Short mmCIF file of all heavy atoms in Angstrom, two decimals:
data_model
loop_
_atom_site.label_atom_id
_atom_site.label_comp_id
_atom_site.label_asym_id
_atom_site.label_seq_id
_atom_site.Cartn_x
_atom_site.Cartn_y
_atom_site.Cartn_z
N PHE Z 1105 -0.60 13.70 2.48
CA PHE Z 1105 -1.88 13.14 2.89
C PHE Z 1105 -2.43 13.93 4.07
O PHE Z 1105 -3.59 14.26 4.15
CB PHE Z 1105 -1.65 11.68 3.29
CG PHE Z 1105 -2.74 10.78 2.86
CD1 PHE Z 1105 -3.06 10.68 1.51
CD2 PHE Z 1105 -3.45 10.03 3.79
CE1 PHE Z 1105 -4.07 9.83 1.11
CE2 PHE Z 1105 -4.45 9.19 3.38
CZ PHE Z 1105 -4.77 9.09 2.04
N SER Z 1106 -1.56 14.23 5.00
CA SER Z 1106 -1.99 14.99 6.16
C SER Z 1106 -0.75 15.54 6.83
O SER Z 1106 0.36 15.06 6.60
CB SER Z 1106 -2.73 14.11 7.15
OG SER Z 1106 -1.80 13.32 7.86
N GLY Z 1107 -0.91 16.54 7.64
CA GLY Z 1107 0.25 17.11 8.30
C GLY Z 1107 0.51 16.48 9.65
O GLY Z 1107 1.34 16.95 10.41
N GLU Z 1108 -0.19 15.43 9.94
CA GLU Z 1108 -0.16 14.90 11.30
C GLU Z 1108 1.14 14.21 11.68
O GLU Z 1108 1.50 14.17 12.83
CB GLU Z 1108 -1.32 13.93 11.51
CG GLU Z 1108 -2.64 14.65 11.68
CD GLU Z 1108 -3.75 13.70 12.09
OE1 GLU Z 1108 -3.63 12.50 11.79
OE2 GLU Z 1108 -4.71 14.15 12.70
N SER Z 1109 1.82 13.66 10.70
CA SER Z 1109 3.01 12.90 11.05
C SER Z 1109 4.27 13.57 10.53
O SER Z 1109 5.08 12.97 9.88
CB SER Z 1109 2.89 11.48 10.51
OG SER Z 1109 2.42 11.51 9.20
N LYS Z 1110 4.39 14.83 10.81
CA LYS Z 1110 5.54 15.63 10.35
C LYS Z 1110 6.87 15.03 10.78
O LYS Z 1110 7.88 15.25 10.15
CB LYS Z 1110 5.43 17.05 10.90
CG LYS Z 1110 4.52 17.93 10.09
CD LYS Z 1110 5.06 19.35 10.02
CE LYS Z 1110 4.32 20.22 9.04
NZ LYS Z 1110 2.94 20.50 9.43
N GLY Z 1111 6.84 14.29 11.87
CA GLY Z 1111 8.06 13.69 12.39
C GLY Z 1111 8.81 12.90 11.34
O GLY Z 1111 10.03 13.00 11.26
N PHE Z 1112 8.11 12.15 10.53
CA PHE Z 1112 8.77 11.30 9.55
C PHE Z 1112 9.39 12.11 8.43
O PHE Z 1112 10.47 11.81 7.95
CB PHE Z 1112 7.79 10.26 9.00
CG PHE Z 1112 7.26 9.37 10.06
CD1 PHE Z 1112 5.92 9.05 10.12
CD2 PHE Z 1112 8.11 8.86 11.03
CE1 PHE Z 1112 5.44 8.23 11.12
CE2 PHE Z 1112 7.64 8.04 12.04
CZ PHE Z 1112 6.30 7.73 12.08
N ILE Z 1113 8.69 13.14 8.00
CA ILE Z 1113 9.24 14.03 6.98
C ILE Z 1113 10.57 14.60 7.49
O ILE Z 1113 11.53 14.70 6.75
CB ILE Z 1113 8.25 15.18 6.66
CG1 ILE Z 1113 7.12 14.71 5.74
CG2 ILE Z 1113 8.98 16.36 6.04
CD1 ILE Z 1113 7.41 14.73 4.25
N ASN Z 1114 10.62 14.89 8.76
CA ASN Z 1114 11.85 15.45 9.32
C ASN Z 1114 13.03 14.48 9.24
O ASN Z 1114 14.14 14.89 8.95
CB ASN Z 1114 11.65 15.88 10.79
CG ASN Z 1114 10.81 17.14 10.87
OD1 ASN Z 1114 10.67 17.86 9.87
ND2 ASN Z 1114 10.23 17.39 12.02
N TYR Z 1115 12.78 13.21 9.49
CA TYR Z 1115 13.86 12.22 9.35
C TYR Z 1115 14.45 12.29 7.96
O TYR Z 1115 15.66 12.27 7.76
CB TYR Z 1115 13.33 10.78 9.55
CG TYR Z 1115 12.94 10.45 10.97
CD1 TYR Z 1115 11.72 9.84 11.22
CD2 TYR Z 1115 13.80 10.70 12.03
CE1 TYR Z 1115 11.34 9.50 12.50
CE2 TYR Z 1115 13.44 10.36 13.31
CZ TYR Z 1115 12.21 9.76 13.55
OH TYR Z 1115 11.85 9.42 14.81
N ILE Z 1116 13.55 12.31 6.98
CA ILE Z 1116 13.99 12.31 5.59
C ILE Z 1116 14.65 13.65 5.27
O ILE Z 1116 15.68 13.71 4.61
CB ILE Z 1116 12.77 12.12 4.65
CG1 ILE Z 1116 12.10 10.78 4.90
CG2 ILE Z 1116 13.18 12.26 3.20
CD1 ILE Z 1116 12.75 9.61 4.24
N TYR Z 1117 14.06 14.72 5.78
CA TYR Z 1117 14.57 16.04 5.47
C TYR Z 1117 16.01 16.22 5.99
O TYR Z 1117 16.86 16.77 5.30
CB TYR Z 1117 13.65 17.13 6.02
CG TYR Z 1117 14.06 18.50 5.55
CD1 TYR Z 1117 13.82 18.88 4.23
CD2 TYR Z 1117 14.74 19.38 6.39
CE1 TYR Z 1117 14.22 20.11 3.76
CE2 TYR Z 1117 15.15 20.62 5.94
CZ TYR Z 1117 14.89 20.99 4.63
OH TYR Z 1117 15.31 22.19 4.17
N ASP Z 1118 16.26 15.70 7.17
CA ASP Z 1118 17.62 15.75 7.72
C ASP Z 1118 18.61 15.10 6.77
O ASP Z 1118 19.71 15.61 6.56
CB ASP Z 1118 17.68 15.02 9.07
CG ASP Z 1118 17.04 15.83 10.18
OD1 ASP Z 1118 16.76 17.02 9.95
OD2 ASP Z 1118 16.79 15.25 11.26
N ARG Z 1119 18.21 13.99 6.24
CA ARG Z 1119 19.10 13.28 5.32
C ARG Z 1119 19.24 14.06 4.02
O ARG Z 1119 20.33 14.16 3.46
CB ARG Z 1119 18.56 11.88 5.03
CG ARG Z 1119 18.54 11.01 6.26
CD ARG Z 1119 18.05 9.63 5.92
NE ARG Z 1119 18.98 8.95 5.02
CZ ARG Z 1119 20.13 8.42 5.40
NH1 ARG Z 1119 20.49 8.49 6.66
NH2 ARG Z 1119 20.88 7.81 4.54
N TYR Z 1120 18.14 14.61 3.60
CA TYR Z 1120 18.12 15.35 2.35
C TYR Z 1120 19.04 16.57 2.40
O TYR Z 1120 19.78 16.85 1.46
CB TYR Z 1120 16.66 15.74 2.04
CG TYR Z 1120 16.50 16.81 1.02
CD1 TYR Z 1120 16.82 16.56 -0.32
CD2 TYR Z 1120 16.04 18.07 1.36
CE1 TYR Z 1120 16.68 17.55 -1.27
CE2 TYR Z 1120 15.89 19.06 0.42
CZ TYR Z 1120 16.23 18.80 -0.90
OH TYR Z 1120 16.08 19.78 -1.82
N THR Z 1121 19.02 17.28 3.53
CA THR Z 1121 19.86 18.47 3.64
C THR Z 1121 21.34 18.11 3.67
O THR Z 1121 22.18 18.92 3.35
CB THR Z 1121 19.52 19.30 4.90
OG1 THR Z 1121 19.48 18.42 6.01
CG2 THR Z 1121 18.18 19.99 4.76
N ASN Z 1122 21.64 16.85 4.01
CA ASN Z 1122 23.04 16.41 4.00
C ASN Z 1122 23.48 15.92 2.62
O ASN Z 1122 24.64 15.64 2.41
CB ASN Z 1122 23.25 15.29 5.01
CG ASN Z 1122 23.15 15.82 6.42
OD1 ASN Z 1122 23.51 16.96 6.68
ND2 ASN Z 1122 22.64 15.01 7.32
N LEU Z 1123 22.54 15.80 1.71
CA LEU Z 1123 22.89 15.31 0.38
C LEU Z 1123 23.28 16.49 -0.51
O LEU Z 1123 22.88 17.62 -0.26
CB LEU Z 1123 21.69 14.61 -0.26
CG LEU Z 1123 21.21 13.32 0.40
CD1 LEU Z 1123 19.90 12.89 -0.25
CD2 LEU Z 1123 22.24 12.23 0.23
N SER Z 1124 24.00 16.16 -1.57
CA SER Z 1124 24.33 17.23 -2.50
C SER Z 1124 23.19 17.40 -3.51
O SER Z 1124 23.26 18.19 -4.43
CB SER Z 1124 25.64 16.89 -3.22
OG SER Z 1124 25.53 15.61 -3.79
N ILE Z 1125 22.15 16.62 -3.32
CA ILE Z 1125 21.03 16.64 -4.26
C ILE Z 1125 19.92 17.53 -3.74
O ILE Z 1125 19.39 17.30 -2.67
CB ILE Z 1125 20.52 15.20 -4.45
CG1 ILE Z 1125 21.54 14.41 -5.25
CG2 ILE Z 1125 19.17 15.16 -5.12
CD1 ILE Z 1125 21.06 13.10 -5.75
N LYS Z 1126 19.60 18.55 -4.49
CA LYS Z 1126 18.59 19.49 -4.00
C LYS Z 1126 17.39 19.62 -4.94
O LYS Z 1126 16.42 20.27 -4.61
CB LYS Z 1126 19.21 20.89 -3.83
CG LYS Z 1126 20.42 20.93 -2.93
CD LYS Z 1126 20.05 20.74 -1.47
CE LYS Z 1126 21.30 20.90 -0.62
NZ LYS Z 1126 21.19 20.27 0.67
N ASP Z 1127 17.53 19.05 -6.12
CA ASP Z 1127 16.47 19.24 -7.11
C ASP Z 1127 15.41 18.15 -6.94
O ASP Z 1127 15.60 17.01 -7.35
CB ASP Z 1127 17.10 19.20 -8.51
CG ASP Z 1127 16.09 19.51 -9.59
OD1 ASP Z 1127 14.90 19.69 -9.28
OD2 ASP Z 1127 16.51 19.58 -10.76
N ILE Z 1128 14.31 18.50 -6.32
CA ILE Z 1128 13.29 17.50 -5.98
C ILE Z 1128 12.32 17.28 -7.14
O ILE Z 1128 11.78 18.23 -7.69
CB ILE Z 1128 12.52 17.94 -4.73
CG1 ILE Z 1128 13.46 17.97 -3.52
CG2 ILE Z 1128 11.36 16.97 -4.44
CD1 ILE Z 1128 12.78 18.37 -2.23
N THR Z 1129 12.15 16.02 -7.49
CA THR Z 1129 11.19 15.66 -8.52
C THR Z 1129 9.84 15.37 -7.89
O THR Z 1129 8.79 15.71 -8.44
CB THR Z 1129 11.69 14.41 -9.29
OG1 THR Z 1129 13.01 14.65 -9.75
CG2 THR Z 1129 10.79 14.07 -10.47
N LEU Z 1130 9.85 14.74 -6.73
CA LEU Z 1130 8.59 14.36 -6.08
C LEU Z 1130 8.78 14.13 -4.58
O LEU Z 1130 9.77 13.53 -4.17
CB LEU Z 1130 8.08 13.05 -6.70
CG LEU Z 1130 6.85 12.44 -6.04
CD1 LEU Z 1130 5.59 12.79 -6.82
CD2 LEU Z 1130 6.97 10.93 -5.95
N VAL Z 1131 7.85 14.61 -3.81
CA VAL Z 1131 7.79 14.26 -2.38
C VAL Z 1131 6.36 13.86 -2.08
O VAL Z 1131 5.42 14.53 -2.51
CB VAL Z 1131 8.09 15.45 -1.44
CG1 VAL Z 1131 8.13 14.97 0.01
CG2 VAL Z 1131 9.37 16.13 -1.79
N PHE Z 1132 6.21 12.77 -1.38
CA PHE Z 1132 4.86 12.34 -0.99
C PHE Z 1132 4.91 11.67 0.37
O PHE Z 1132 5.82 10.88 0.66
CB PHE Z 1132 4.29 11.37 -2.01
CG PHE Z 1132 2.94 10.80 -1.62
CD1 PHE Z 1132 1.77 11.50 -1.90
CD2 PHE Z 1132 2.85 9.58 -0.96
CE1 PHE Z 1132 0.52 10.99 -1.52
CE2 PHE Z 1132 1.61 9.06 -0.58
CZ PHE Z 1132 0.44 9.77 -0.86
N GLU Z 1133 3.94 11.97 1.19
CA GLU Z 1133 3.79 11.24 2.43
C GLU Z 1133 2.34 10.84 2.56
O GLU Z 1133 1.43 11.66 2.37
CB GLU Z 1133 4.18 12.10 3.64
CG GLU Z 1133 4.05 11.31 4.94
CD GLU Z 1133 4.34 12.14 6.18
OE1 GLU Z 1133 4.30 13.37 6.08
OE2 GLU Z 1133 4.58 11.54 7.23
N GLY Z 1134 2.08 9.59 2.84
CA GLY Z 1134 0.70 9.15 3.00
C GLY Z 1134 0.61 7.64 2.90
O GLY Z 1134 1.61 6.93 2.94
N GLN Z 1135 -0.60 7.19 2.76
CA GLN Z 1135 -0.82 5.76 2.66
C GLN Z 1135 -0.45 5.30 1.25
O GLN Z 1135 -0.95 5.85 0.26
CB GLN Z 1135 -2.29 5.45 2.94
CG GLN Z 1135 -2.52 4.00 3.26
CD GLN Z 1135 -3.98 3.73 3.57
OE1 GLN Z 1135 -4.72 4.64 3.96
NE2 GLN Z 1135 -4.40 2.51 3.38
N ILE Z 1136 0.44 4.34 1.16
CA ILE Z 1136 0.91 3.88 -0.15
C ILE Z 1136 0.04 2.71 -0.60
O ILE Z 1136 0.39 1.55 -0.38
CB ILE Z 1136 2.39 3.46 -0.12
CG1 ILE Z 1136 3.28 4.54 0.53
CG2 ILE Z 1136 2.88 3.12 -1.52
CD1 ILE Z 1136 3.49 5.80 -0.25
N THR Z 1137 -1.08 3.02 -1.20
CA THR Z 1137 -1.92 1.96 -1.76
C THR Z 1137 -1.42 1.67 -3.17
O THR Z 1137 -0.55 2.37 -3.69
CB THR Z 1137 -3.38 2.42 -1.86
OG1 THR Z 1137 -3.41 3.55 -2.76
CG2 THR Z 1137 -3.95 2.84 -0.52
N HIS Z 1138 -1.99 0.66 -3.77
CA HIS Z 1138 -1.62 0.33 -5.15
C HIS Z 1138 -1.95 1.50 -6.09
O HIS Z 1138 -1.15 1.84 -6.97
CB HIS Z 1138 -2.39 -0.93 -5.57
CG HIS Z 1138 -2.02 -1.43 -6.94
ND1 HIS Z 1138 -0.76 -1.93 -7.24
CD2 HIS Z 1138 -2.74 -1.49 -8.09
CE1 HIS Z 1138 -0.74 -2.29 -8.51
NE2 HIS Z 1138 -1.92 -2.03 -9.04
N GLN Z 1139 -3.10 2.12 -5.87
CA GLN Z 1139 -3.50 3.26 -6.71
C GLN Z 1139 -2.54 4.43 -6.54
O GLN Z 1139 -2.19 5.11 -7.51
CB GLN Z 1139 -4.94 3.72 -6.35
CG GLN Z 1139 -6.01 2.69 -6.64
CD GLN Z 1139 -6.05 2.24 -8.10
OE1 GLN Z 1139 -5.74 3.00 -9.01
NE2 GLN Z 1139 -6.40 0.98 -8.32
N VAL Z 1140 -2.11 4.69 -5.30
CA VAL Z 1140 -1.17 5.78 -5.04
C VAL Z 1140 0.17 5.47 -5.72
O VAL Z 1140 0.78 6.34 -6.34
CB VAL Z 1140 -1.00 6.00 -3.51
CG1 VAL Z 1140 0.20 6.90 -3.22
CG2 VAL Z 1140 -2.26 6.61 -2.91
N MET Z 1141 0.61 4.21 -5.61
CA MET Z 1141 1.86 3.81 -6.26
C MET Z 1141 1.79 4.11 -7.77
O MET Z 1141 2.71 4.68 -8.34
CB MET Z 1141 2.09 2.30 -6.02
CG MET Z 1141 3.37 1.74 -6.60
SD MET Z 1141 3.26 1.27 -8.33
CE MET Z 1141 2.25 -0.19 -8.23
N LYS Z 1142 0.66 3.76 -8.39
CA LYS Z 1142 0.52 4.00 -9.83
C LYS Z 1142 0.50 5.50 -10.14
O LYS Z 1142 1.09 5.94 -11.12
CB LYS Z 1142 -0.77 3.35 -10.35
CG LYS Z 1142 -0.65 1.84 -10.49
CD LYS Z 1142 -1.77 1.29 -11.34
CE LYS Z 1142 -3.09 1.31 -10.61
NZ LYS Z 1142 -4.17 0.64 -11.36
N ALA Z 1143 -0.19 6.26 -9.28
CA ALA Z 1143 -0.28 7.71 -9.51
C ALA Z 1143 1.11 8.36 -9.40
O ALA Z 1143 1.49 9.17 -10.25
CB ALA Z 1143 -1.24 8.34 -8.51
N LEU Z 1144 1.88 7.99 -8.37
CA LEU Z 1144 3.19 8.61 -8.15
C LEU Z 1144 4.18 8.23 -9.25
O LEU Z 1144 4.92 9.08 -9.75
CB LEU Z 1144 3.75 8.22 -6.78
CG LEU Z 1144 2.94 8.66 -5.55
CD1 LEU Z 1144 3.60 8.19 -4.27
CD2 LEU Z 1144 2.77 10.18 -5.53
N THR Z 1145 4.19 6.95 -9.62
CA THR Z 1145 5.13 6.53 -10.67
C THR Z 1145 4.72 7.17 -12.01
O THR Z 1145 5.58 7.59 -12.78
CB THR Z 1145 5.17 4.99 -10.82
OG1 THR Z 1145 3.84 4.50 -10.94
CG2 THR Z 1145 5.82 4.33 -9.63
N GLY Z 1146 3.41 7.29 -12.22
CA GLY Z 1146 2.91 7.92 -13.45
C GLY Z 1146 3.31 9.39 -13.52
O GLY Z 1146 3.69 9.90 -14.57
N LEU Z 1147 3.24 10.04 -12.37
CA LEU Z 1147 3.59 11.47 -12.29
C LEU Z 1147 5.06 11.69 -12.62
O LEU Z 1147 5.42 12.59 -13.38
CB LEU Z 1147 3.30 11.93 -10.85
CG LEU Z 1147 3.12 13.41 -10.58
CD1 LEU Z 1147 1.96 13.96 -11.38
CD2 LEU Z 1147 2.87 13.63 -9.10
N VAL Z 1148 5.91 10.85 -12.06
CA VAL Z 1148 7.35 10.98 -12.31
C VAL Z 1148 7.67 10.64 -13.78
O VAL Z 1148 8.46 11.32 -14.43
CB VAL Z 1148 8.16 10.09 -11.33
CG1 VAL Z 1148 9.61 9.97 -11.76
CG2 VAL Z 1148 8.07 10.68 -9.92
N GLU Z 1149 7.01 9.61 -14.27
CA GLU Z 1149 7.19 9.22 -15.67
C GLU Z 1149 6.85 10.39 -16.59
O GLU Z 1149 7.58 10.70 -17.54
CB GLU Z 1149 6.26 8.03 -15.96
CG GLU Z 1149 6.74 7.12 -17.05
CD GLU Z 1149 5.84 5.91 -17.20
OE1 GLU Z 1149 4.65 5.96 -16.77
OE2 GLU Z 1149 6.30 4.92 -17.76
N GLU Z 1150 5.74 11.04 -16.27
CA GLU Z 1150 5.28 12.16 -17.09
C GLU Z 1150 6.26 13.34 -17.02
O GLU Z 1150 6.56 13.96 -18.02
CB GLU Z 1150 3.91 12.59 -16.55
CG GLU Z 1150 3.07 13.38 -17.53
CD GLU Z 1150 1.72 13.71 -16.89
OE1 GLU Z 1150 0.92 12.77 -16.75
OE2 GLU Z 1150 1.52 14.87 -16.52
N GLN Z 1151 6.77 13.59 -15.82
CA GLN Z 1151 7.71 14.71 -15.65
C GLN Z 1151 9.03 14.47 -16.36
O GLN Z 1151 9.67 15.39 -16.83
CB GLN Z 1151 8.02 14.91 -14.16
CG GLN Z 1151 6.98 15.70 -13.43
CD GLN Z 1151 7.50 16.02 -12.03
OE1 GLN Z 1151 8.39 16.84 -11.85
NE2 GLN Z 1151 6.93 15.35 -11.05
N LEU Z 1152 9.47 13.19 -16.39
CA LEU Z 1152 10.80 12.90 -16.94
C LEU Z 1152 10.77 12.55 -18.42
O LEU Z 1152 11.80 12.57 -19.09
CB LEU Z 1152 11.47 11.77 -16.15
CG LEU Z 1152 11.65 12.00 -14.65
CD1 LEU Z 1152 12.46 10.86 -14.05
CD2 LEU Z 1152 12.34 13.33 -14.38
N ASP Z 1153 9.58 12.21 -18.90
CA ASP Z 1153 9.44 11.85 -20.31
C ASP Z 1153 9.91 13.03 -21.15
O ASP Z 1153 9.65 14.17 -20.82
CB ASP Z 1153 7.96 11.54 -20.58
CG ASP Z 1153 7.78 10.88 -21.93
OD1 ASP Z 1153 8.71 10.20 -22.38
OD2 ASP Z 1153 6.71 11.07 -22.54
N GLU Z 1154 10.62 12.76 -22.25
CA GLU Z 1154 11.11 13.80 -23.17
C GLU Z 1154 12.37 14.51 -22.64
O GLU Z 1154 13.22 14.89 -23.42
CB GLU Z 1154 10.05 14.87 -23.50
CG GLU Z 1154 8.69 14.33 -23.93
CD GLU Z 1154 8.61 13.95 -25.40
OE1 GLU Z 1154 9.12 14.72 -26.23
OE2 GLU Z 1154 8.04 12.87 -25.70
N VAL Z 1155 12.48 14.70 -21.31
CA VAL Z 1155 13.64 15.44 -20.82
C VAL Z 1155 14.74 14.52 -20.29
O VAL Z 1155 15.88 14.92 -20.14
CB VAL Z 1155 13.28 16.46 -19.72
CG1 VAL Z 1155 12.36 17.54 -20.27
CG2 VAL Z 1155 12.64 15.79 -18.51
N GLU Z 1156 14.40 13.26 -20.01
CA GLU Z 1156 15.38 12.37 -19.41
C GLU Z 1156 15.66 11.20 -20.35
O GLU Z 1156 14.80 10.81 -21.13
CB GLU Z 1156 14.85 11.86 -18.07
CG GLU Z 1156 15.83 11.11 -17.20
CD GLU Z 1156 17.09 11.90 -16.88
OE1 GLU Z 1156 16.97 12.98 -16.29
OE2 GLU Z 1156 18.18 11.44 -17.24
N ASP Z 1157 16.87 10.68 -20.28
CA ASP Z 1157 17.25 9.51 -21.04
C ASP Z 1157 16.29 8.34 -20.72
O ASP Z 1157 15.97 8.10 -19.57
CB ASP Z 1157 18.69 9.15 -20.65
CG ASP Z 1157 19.19 7.93 -21.37
OD1 ASP Z 1157 19.34 8.02 -22.59
OD2 ASP Z 1157 19.41 6.90 -20.71
N ASP Z 1158 15.85 7.63 -21.78
CA ASP Z 1158 14.88 6.53 -21.61
C ASP Z 1158 15.32 5.49 -20.59
O ASP Z 1158 14.53 5.01 -19.78
CB ASP Z 1158 14.68 5.78 -22.94
CG ASP Z 1158 13.74 6.53 -23.86
OD1 ASP Z 1158 13.15 7.54 -23.40
OD2 ASP Z 1158 13.60 6.13 -25.03
N LYS Z 1159 16.60 5.15 -20.66
CA LYS Z 1159 17.12 4.11 -19.79
C LYS Z 1159 17.07 4.55 -18.32
O LYS Z 1159 16.67 3.78 -17.43
CB LYS Z 1159 18.57 3.83 -20.20
CG LYS Z 1159 19.21 2.66 -19.51
CD LYS Z 1159 20.53 2.37 -20.22
CE LYS Z 1159 21.50 1.65 -19.34
NZ LYS Z 1159 22.77 1.42 -20.04
N VAL Z 1160 17.43 5.79 -18.07
CA VAL Z 1160 17.40 6.34 -16.71
C VAL Z 1160 15.95 6.40 -16.22
O VAL Z 1160 15.64 5.97 -15.11
CB VAL Z 1160 18.05 7.75 -16.67
CG1 VAL Z 1160 17.89 8.38 -15.29
CG2 VAL Z 1160 19.51 7.67 -17.07
N LEU Z 1161 15.07 6.89 -17.09
CA LEU Z 1161 13.65 6.98 -16.73
C LEU Z 1161 13.08 5.61 -16.38
O LEU Z 1161 12.40 5.45 -15.37
CB LEU Z 1161 12.87 7.60 -17.91
CG LEU Z 1161 11.34 7.54 -17.86
CD1 LEU Z 1161 10.79 8.12 -16.58
CD2 LEU Z 1161 10.73 8.29 -19.05
N ARG Z 1162 13.40 4.60 -17.18
CA ARG Z 1162 12.89 3.24 -16.91
C ARG Z 1162 13.37 2.73 -15.55
O ARG Z 1162 12.64 2.08 -14.82
CB ARG Z 1162 13.37 2.26 -17.98
CG ARG Z 1162 12.59 2.38 -19.28
CD ARG Z 1162 12.91 1.21 -20.21
NE ARG Z 1162 12.45 1.51 -21.54
CZ ARG Z 1162 13.23 1.90 -22.55
NH1 ARG Z 1162 14.53 1.99 -22.39
NH2 ARG Z 1162 12.72 2.18 -23.72
N ARG Z 1163 14.64 3.05 -15.24
CA ARG Z 1163 15.18 2.56 -13.96
C ARG Z 1163 14.59 3.30 -12.77
O ARG Z 1163 14.31 2.69 -11.75
CB ARG Z 1163 16.70 2.65 -13.97
CG ARG Z 1163 17.24 1.56 -14.89
CD ARG Z 1163 18.74 1.44 -14.90
NE ARG Z 1163 19.10 0.35 -15.79
CZ ARG Z 1163 20.32 0.12 -16.25
NH1 ARG Z 1163 21.31 0.92 -15.89
NH2 ARG Z 1163 20.55 -0.89 -17.05
N VAL Z 1164 14.41 4.61 -12.90
CA VAL Z 1164 13.78 5.37 -11.82
C VAL Z 1164 12.37 4.82 -11.59
O VAL Z 1164 11.95 4.59 -10.45
CB VAL Z 1164 13.73 6.89 -12.14
CG1 VAL Z 1164 12.88 7.64 -11.13
CG2 VAL Z 1164 15.15 7.47 -12.18
#
Side-chain angles (χ1 to χ4, degrees):
Chain Z
F1105 219 59
S1106 77
E1108 284 188 336
S1109 44
K1110 278 217 171 67
F1112 299 136
I1113 281 275
N1114 287 341
Y1115 289 132
I1116 298 279
Y1117 188 73
D1118 285 348
R1119 296 182 65 76
Y1120 164 69
T1121 49
N1122 289 328
L1123 294 172
S1124 53
I1125 289 192
K1126 304 288 184 202
D1127 185 357
I1128 295 181
T1129 307
L1130 174 100
V1131 185
F1132 176 85
E1133 182 184 18
Q1135 197 179 337
I1136 310 289
T1137 62
H1138 184 66
Q1139 296 303 327
V1140 167
M1141 182 276 288
K1142 284 196 287 186
L1144 297 179
T1145 50
L1147 200 60
V1148 167
E1149 207 175 21
E1150 201 178 288
Q1151 278 189 72
L1152 302 186
D1153 192 29
E1154 311 277 317
V1155 296
E1156 191 56 60
D1157 179 66
D1158 281 353
K1159 187 170 156 182
V1160 174
L1161 168 54
R1162 283 191 195 102
R1163 288 186 179 166
V1164 170

